[in-house]
Amino acid sequence: MRATYMFSAGDVRVIDVPDPALQQPTDALVRIVRACVCGSDLHPYHRMPVSEHGSSMGHEFLGLVEETGNDVTTVKPGDLVVASFAWQDNTCDFCREGLQTSCRNGGFWNAPGVGGGQAEAVRVPLADGTLVKLPVAADSALLPSLLTLSDVYGTGHHCAVRAGVDTRTTVTVIGDGAVGLLAVMAAKRLGAEQIILMGRHKDRTDLGREFGATDIVAERGTEGIEKVRDLTHGDGTHTVLECVGHMPAYQQALGVIRAGGTISRVGVPQYTDADIGWNLFGRNLTLTGGPAPVRNYIDELMPDILDGKLEPGRVFDRTVGLDEVPDAYRAMDQREALKVLVRP
Amino acid sequence: MRATYMFSAGDVRVIDVPDPALQQPTDALVRIVRACVCGSDLHPYHRMPVSEHGSSMGHEFLGLVEETGNDVTTVKPGDLVVASFAWQDNTCDFCREGLQTSCRNGGFWNAPGVGGGQAEAVRVPLADGTLVKLPVAADSALLPSLLTLSDVYGTGHHCAVRAGVDTRTTVTVIGDGAVGLLAVMAAKRLGAEQIILMGRHKDRTDLGREFGATDIVAERGTEGIEKVRDLTHGDGTHTVLECVGHMPAYQQALGVIRAGGTISRVGVPQYTDADIGWNLFGRNLTLTGGPAPVRNYIDELMPDILDGKLEPGRVFDRTVGLDEVPDAYRAMDQREALKVLVRP
């Protein structure tokens, strides 16, 4: 089959690889119907060292079950399913606590022995815990929105949940990428009345407004911080949803958070050490977040999509075939595209 | 009157200063009956730059009200009162949210124009928000325990509350100083069943056991981390109460926290940058804590003391007069004394 591999920074290719096959009785084989490129795929795209054998890519997909191992009970061949960006048994203590990304038996796509989603097909470990059946046809117009349940919408939601967003909290969202925009949607859905979106790409922040942002701050650094403070009587917001992962975004978060507030991060931090001294401590700030256990949220988030009430799939502004995936990386890296949908 | 001043690292003196006087109609004058030396007083004791006029010291005291301004309504001359280590109006939005240390009109003892508690008397700003009447006589045997409400017990409690300690959480307390030991007491009071105390002073950890610690880990670094993991099936504890403030304590916290858990800090961090990269993010850890709004907790914590059920005052293992305060600093610094009570 054809599958996307990265061989070094900037070097993405779609190549022929052996077809995946069941290995464990808990596996399923899924023929991929929709996949996409993630903002986090751009991190290795910027700095992956040269690798002779490359690494398979993609961790967001939905598709049709082709075959299941003997122990799989919740999905069957022919089912349209969505996977979460981590696979898990969904039964261990961590999963039961809603922390599926720390599943005792789970793992991540593209780890050794596990393929990726930017491909024609994929072996799904722990299929019962990882796949959720979608009650629509394989050509439904809802597919783009349902695909966001595999990562970006669940991740934006996790960011808001961890921050404690509710009807009484004011919110700043940092980042106008797909996760930032869907964090806006999630915050709105959780009842936040003031949602300030910090981003400087007008087409994206315009979509953010449609998703629920009440204010847009295009400025960055101290100027951006001042703007947010102006919008909040000088106090900053109760919660900050940091959806970028770079150091300036964290510094921005520290600048716009209200005393006693919570900074929630879902952008994978591209730094190790950062300021958690008096600036964080002195005002009783909380820092939280991490890889979203999206499996925990699919059941909660899907109904609004099926009802047509929310359309997170609007973050996709380009669709490509599998062979065009390398160009999709380029387009997202150059900010020509917000998020690219892949139809293998 | 006599009052304690610090003039540089290691240079603490009790000197003659003008008697305090009412300045605002919201002030009270308090004659100090009991005060003490705080672990955090040792930070300037280690590194205060030379100061010609020095800085008044002490932020924990209880005493008798001598005089009140015209606007003071909740206390009157003759009342025995305890103060919190920050003063506040206790009416602003932050105070109403339980974040009195961020009071819009409050401040800290020993700031310019405000004296300290290691003295014969002190002017108390915003007396209605800052002082709480104690329903005991000025020679009650409960005074040491009631004095801990001004800081160390409330701070240990804040640490546990912020961490989310309850009957279902396992707890590691880092630090066997007065705050660490009272964090043990607080965690026990909130229902925690497993409380691991990390500390290497046997007399202190023995007291920690009496306060509720179920396990003592005297080792530090990787050895200490391994010990805690051994005690928790390899997982670490749901919560870590970091009651020290030095970098090795934070690193220890990262090592013993369970995925999805919360590190709560109340030791003032003596560092700025620290690891909040994948080590914190990858396991969805939460970092929280800060200066304890002890005013928020006094009403909740006092009854157990009045009933004789809990005796946080046991952290005091030495009593001195005001003129001996410099030696109290020395004794605490050299770990001869855990916490020194002052009877001016």
Side-chain angles (χ1 to χ4, degrees):
Chain A
M1 70 161 185
R2 305 281 289 164
T4 305
Y5 273 65
M6 189 181 292
F7 291 86
S8 72
D11 183 6
V12 178
R13 304 178 216 161
V14 180
I15 62 173
D16 288 313
V17 298
D19 288 340
L22 296 182
Q23 292 177 17
Q24 302 288 334
T26 48
D27 285 352
L29 274 189
V30 170
R31 173 81 28 194
I32 290 169
V33 172
R34 293 289 185 282
C36 52
V37 180
C38 184
S40 70
D41 292 335
L42 297 182
H43 294 317
Y45 190 73
H46 289 147
R47 40 183 226 199
M48 178 177 169
V50 174
S51 156
E52 192 189 341
H53 300 291
S55 170
S56 64
M57 296 298 298
H59 53 260
E60 302 157 283
F61 61 89
L62 53 78
L64 289 163
V65 176
E66 279 199 341
E67 199 182 341
T68 56
N70 284 334
D71 292 352
V72 176
T73 62
T74 61
V75 296
K76 59 179 191 310
D79 284 350
L80 185 72
V81 292
V82 65
S84 42
F85 75 78
W87 44 272
Q88 62 271 314
D89 60 25
N90 211 27
T91 57
C92 78
D93 52 348
F94 282 116
C95 287
R96 276 180 278 119
E97 291 167 27
L99 200 68
Q100 282 87 345
T101 38
S102 291
C103 173
R104 293 192 187 274
N105 302 301
F108 293 85
W109 306 106
N110 308 302
V114 187
Q118 293 161 6
E120 290 183 73
V122 67
R123 175 179 77 87
V124 176
L126 301 176
D128 279 337
T130 304
L131 299 174
V132 175
K133 195 176 164 176
L134 296 171
V136 300
D139 60 353
S140 163
L142 297 178
L143 294 196
S145 286
L146 291 167
L147 178 59
T148 66
L149 295 173
S150 69
D151 186 347
V152 280
Y153 185 26
T155 292
H157 178 71
H158 180 61
C159 197
V161 167
R162 277 280 166 153
V165 171
D166 64 20
T167 54
R168 294 162 307 166
T169 49
T170 50
V171 181
T172 301
V173 175
I174 299 178
D176 58 10
V179 171
L181 298 180
L182 292 174
V184 169
M185 178 178 281
K188 169 83 175 169
R189 181 177 169 280
L190 291 168
E193 289 181 5
Q194 184 177 29
I195 303 171
I196 302 168
L197 173 60
M198 303 191 80
R200 50 195 185 123
H201 303 88
K202 189 166 180 310
D203 50 337
R204 300 180 178 193
T205 55
D206 282 351
L207 184 56
R209 267 193 204 280
E210 293 185 50
F211 283 175
T214 52
D215 305 276
I216 306 295
V217 172
E219 292 80 0
R220 313 168 96 184
T222 48
E223 214 185 331
I225 290 170
E226 224 161 276
K227 268 270 176 102
V228 174
R229 294 199 163 266
D230 283 349
L231 289 165
T232 53
H233 314 288
D235 287 341
T237 53
H238 298 95
T239 63
V240 176
L241 313 187
E242 200 281 79
C243 301
V244 178
H246 292 290
M247 181 66 96
Y250 176 67
Q251 290 162 334
Q252 197 84 7
L254 272 182
V256 301
I257 185 76
R258 183 177 182 274
T262 299
I263 298 169
S264 182
R265 298 183 299 172
V266 289
V268 180
Q270 302 301 301
Y271 50 86
T272 302
D273 283 9
D275 182 1
I276 56 167
W278 188 256
N279 281 332
L280 192 80
F281 180 89
R283 297 193 295 146
N284 271 282
L285 301 176
T286 296
L287 176 64
T288 190
V294 296
R295 177 64 188 85
N296 191 41
Y297 304 128
I298 292 179
D299 296 340
E300 176 181 350
L301 298 179
M302 202 190 307
D304 286 340
I305 295 173
L306 296 176
D307 294 351
K309 202 167 144 189
L310 292 177
E311 214 178 338
R314 292 181 65 196
V315 294
F316 295 108
D317 57 353
R318 184 174 294 195
T319 301
V320 300
L322 190 56
D323 285 336
E324 299 158 273
V325 166
D327 193 60
Y329 277 75
R330 186 203 53 75
M332 281 179 60
D333 186 43
Q334 294 182 2
R335 310 219 174 210
E336 267 175 33
L338 170 55
K339 192 169 177 72
V340 180
L341 189 72
V342 180
R343 302 175 65 143
Chain B
M1 70 163 185
R2 305 282 288 165
T4 306
Y5 274 64
M6 191 182 290
F7 291 87
S8 73
D11 184 6
V12 178
R13 304 179 216 160
V14 179
I15 61 173
D16 288 311
V17 298
D19 287 339
L22 296 183
Q23 293 177 16
Q24 302 288 334
T26 48
D27 286 352
L29 274 188
V30 170
R31 174 81 25 196
I32 291 171
V33 173
R34 295 287 185 285
C36 52
V37 181
C38 185
S40 69
D41 292 334
L42 297 181
H43 295 318
Y45 190 73
H46 289 147
R47 40 183 224 199
M48 178 177 170
V50 175
S51 156
E52 192 189 339
H53 300 292
S55 170
S56 65
M57 297 299 298
H59 53 258
E60 302 157 282
F61 61 90
L62 53 77
L64 289 163
V65 176
E66 278 199 342
E67 199 182 342
T68 56
N70 284 335
D71 293 352
V72 175
T73 62
T74 62
V75 296
K76 59 180 193 308
D79 284 349
L80 185 71
V81 293
V82 65
S84 42
F85 75 78
W87 44 272
Q88 62 270 315
D89 60 26
N90 212 26
T91 57
C92 78
D93 52 347
F94 283 116
C95 287
R96 276 180 280 120
E97 291 167 27
L99 201 67
Q100 283 87 344
T101 38
S102 291
C103 173
R104 292 193 187 275
N105 302 301
F108 292 87
W109 305 105
N110 307 303
V114 187
Q118 293 161 7
E120 288 182 76
V122 68
R123 175 180 78 88
V124 175
L126 301 175
D128 279 337
T130 305
L131 299 175
V132 175
K133 194 176 166 178
L134 296 171
V136 300
D139 61 352
S140 163
L142 298 177
L143 294 196
S145 286
L146 292 167
L147 177 60
T148 66
L149 296 173
S150 68
D151 185 348
V152 280
Y153 185 26
T155 293
H157 177 71
H158 180 62
C159 197
V161 167
R162 277 279 165 153
V165 170
D166 64 21
T167 53
R168 293 162 310 168
T169 50
T170 50
V171 181
T172 300
V173 175
I174 299 178
D176 58 10
V179 172
L181 297 180
L182 292 175
V184 169
M185 179 178 280
K188 170 82 176 173
R189 181 177 168 280
L190 291 167
E193 288 181 5
Q194 184 176 30
I195 303 171
I196 302 168
L197 173 60
M198 302 190 80
R200 54 199 180 118
H201 303 89
K202 191 169 178 308
D203 49 337
R204 301 181 178 192
T205 56
D206 282 352
L207 185 55
R209 269 192 201 280
E210 292 185 52
F211 283 175
T214 53
D215 305 276
I216 306 295
V217 172
E219 293 80 0
R220 313 168 95 182
T222 48
E223 215 186 331
I225 290 170
E226 224 163 275
K227 267 273 178 96
V228 174
R229 295 201 162 266
D230 284 349
L231 289 166
T232 53
H233 313 289
D235 287 339
T237 52
H238 298 95
T239 63
V240 177
L241 313 187
E242 199 282 79
C243 302
V244 179
H246 291 290
M247 181 66 98
Y250 176 66
Q251 290 163 335
Q252 197 84 7
L254 272 182
V256 301
I257 185 75
R258 184 177 182 274
T262 299
I263 298 169
S264 182
R265 297 183 299 173
V266 289
V268 180
Q270 301 301 302
Y271 50 85
T272 302
D273 284 11
D275 183 1
I276 55 167
W278 187 257
N279 280 333
L280 191 80
F281 180 89
R283 296 192 295 146
N284 271 284
L285 301 176
T286 296
L287 177 64
T288 190
V294 296
R295 178 62 188 86
N296 192 41
Y297 304 127
I298 292 179
D299 296 339
E300 175 181 350
L301 298 179
M302 201 189 310
D304 285 342
I305 296 173
L306 296 177
D307 294 350
K309 203 168 145 190
L310 292 176
E311 215 178 336
R314 290 181 67 195
V315 294
F316 295 109
D317 57 353
R318 184 175 295 193
T319 302
V320 301
L322 190 55
D323 285 334
E324 299 159 274
V325 167
D327 193 60
Y329 276 75
R330 186 203 53 74
M332 281 178 61
D333 185 44
Q334 295 183 1
R335 311 219 173 213
E336 267 175 34
L338 169 55
K339 192 168 177 72
V340 179
L341 189 71
V342 180
R343 301 175 67 144

